[in-house]
Amino acid sequence: MLPLVYHPDYSFPFPGEHRFPMEKFSLLHQHLRETGIAHRDNEYRPGRARAALLGQVHCPDYVDAIVSGSLDQKAQRRMGLPWSEGLVRRTCIAPMGTLLTAQLALKQGLACHLAGGTHHAHHDFGSGFCIFNDLAFAANQLLASGAVGKILIFDCDVHQGDGTAAMLAKEPRVYTCSVHCEKNFPVRKMQSDLDVGLPLGMTDRDYLDTVFETLETLLENVQPDLVLYDAGVDVYAQDPLGRLDISLQGIADRDHGVIRRCRDKGIPVATVIGGGYDDDRLALARRHALVIEEAARIAVSM
Ligand SMILES: [Zn+2]
């Protein structure tokens, strides 16, 4: 049974016209309940991280500023989300969600987080709708606990995982790989262990070839004990922030192929949903469900 990690506080009342689709987490959960993929027996609820724990990965002053709502205007604008108690709550839970998902993956081979992938968050500032970096947080906690010796972060969100790259640049036990559209946010890229910058308008076949060749090489060379997979759906052709030309089938094929290749080698995989934007929030939720549907298919055959 595929473990799913979710917290009802992930979505909270948020300005409906805001570019960031805060409703998508609860809509995704609802959709997975309706299709029978999520049910009482396979859902796990993460706790809230204390500031001190987040301060092991992020600058403690930055964590305090987020929690207390004392971030200055400029930093607030860069982060891109209006501060509220609800925002702080979900922001302190989501990194624990990715950590829990990874722990479940280590036990059961595969697990999915119905949130996560806040890869633009840096050590001491937030950016691009990302506040705390759940991938860097989970990786650090897992290494500190001795649960794993080597982690591969395979980030297929259409935007470069700049925060993850910067925060883990000096951590040789985590290999960061970002496969993204080169001419897209962030303008100033950080250096991952491997960056694969894709051309504007790339279509399914070239994209899938690139993703799979990259992953196969990394699994061989890095030999990770765990893969954290960011299955961002902003690669979708109609995504307003995407700039690639990937179909829904292309996304499903990508997710299936990534998980399958890891599992065929016996490597545990934890997935996070990453970015995805659409004024049609239900269509967006169904798009984010693709990775979980593919994972559920693979979990049955494990
Ligand atoms: Zn993105």
Side-chain angles (χ1 to χ4, degrees), residues 119-120 157-159 234 274-277:
H119 60 172
H120 301 307
D157 187 287
V158 81
H159 305 103
D234 42 15
Y277 306 88

Side-chain angles (χ1 to χ4, degrees), residues 11-32:
S11 294
F12 64 93
F14 197 68
E17 71 284 5
H18 198 280
R19 169 74 88 177
F20 189 82
M22 196 58 84
E23 317 93 301
K24 73 180 185 181
F25 310 100
S26 71
L27 291 173
L28 170 61
H29 176 248
Q30 200 180 315
H31 175 71
L32 293 171

